[in-house]
Amino acid sequence: MPIPQLTLYRHDRHSRALITLAGEIDLTTEHVVRESLGQCLRDGIRTIDVDLTTVTFCDVTGLNAFLHASWATGVAGGSLRLHHPPPALARIIALTGNSTLLHGYPGALPPRPSSPPLAPGAPSRGPSRVPRATAIPTRGN
């Protein structure tokens, strides 16, 4: 069985970083995510944008790494936002009440773009279609 691959690119601009991830985030690769996000804080970065456009899989260990980094960034007076997560990850984030991690899509499932995302601060490409959220029945309803 092949080992999951994860590629990470980091682009800094003043006190802001854009982290672009490609591949799979799971138990064997989450340490890369955790370490790189922690290194941003150690380097004085206080605004972290994480582009997940080309992430093909992310399990609960990846979510835990993002939640930990979000907490640590908040304690340091900064913010962490996830951009274009895979649909399954966006759904888990929404179901666990952590939608504040999703940039621009509070409480909704974000669309995955067919083209690469714009860098933070770049002009908009125009409106995009947002899929409808489906209600999840809970016990007692």
Side-chain angles (χ1 to χ4, degrees):
M1 184 168 158
I3 297 174
Q5 297 292 315
L6 180 67
T7 305
L8 183 140
Y9 300 97
R10 176 177 162 184
H11 178 75
D12 293 353
R13 186 168 205 172
H14 307 291
S15 65
R16 182 177 202 134
L18 173 62
I19 305 288
T20 302
L21 298 169
E24 298 181 5
I25 305 170
D26 62 13
L27 187 59
T28 61
T29 60
E30 69 86 25
H31 69 280
V32 174
V33 174
R34 191 177 294 267
E35 177 57 31
S36 67
L37 295 174
Q39 188 62 49
C40 285
L41 292 177
R42 290 187 294 277
D43 291 344
I45 301 294
R46 293 300 175 257
T47 302
I48 304 171
D49 294 293
V50 182
D51 178 8
L52 300 170
T53 302
T54 54
V55 169
T56 56
F57 176 79
C58 181
D59 68 10
V60 70
T61 58
L63 174 60
N64 190 39
F66 292 129
L67 291 173
H68 175 77
S70 177
W71 173 83
T73 305
V75 167
S79 66
L80 177 131
R81 294 288 177 261
L82 304 180
H83 301 263
H84 312 293
L89 177 60
R91 185 169 176 84
I92 291 169
I93 290 169
L95 289 172
T96 58
N98 293 293
S99 293
T100 57
L101 283 174
L102 299 175
H103 176 70
Y105 301 99
L109 298 178
R112 283 188 64 116
S114 58
S115 59
L118 294 173
S124 173
R125 284 190 205 104
S128 62
R129 201 177 108 226
V130 177
R132 278 188 214 159
T134 305
I136 306 293
T138 59
R139 288 190 165 194
N141 290 345

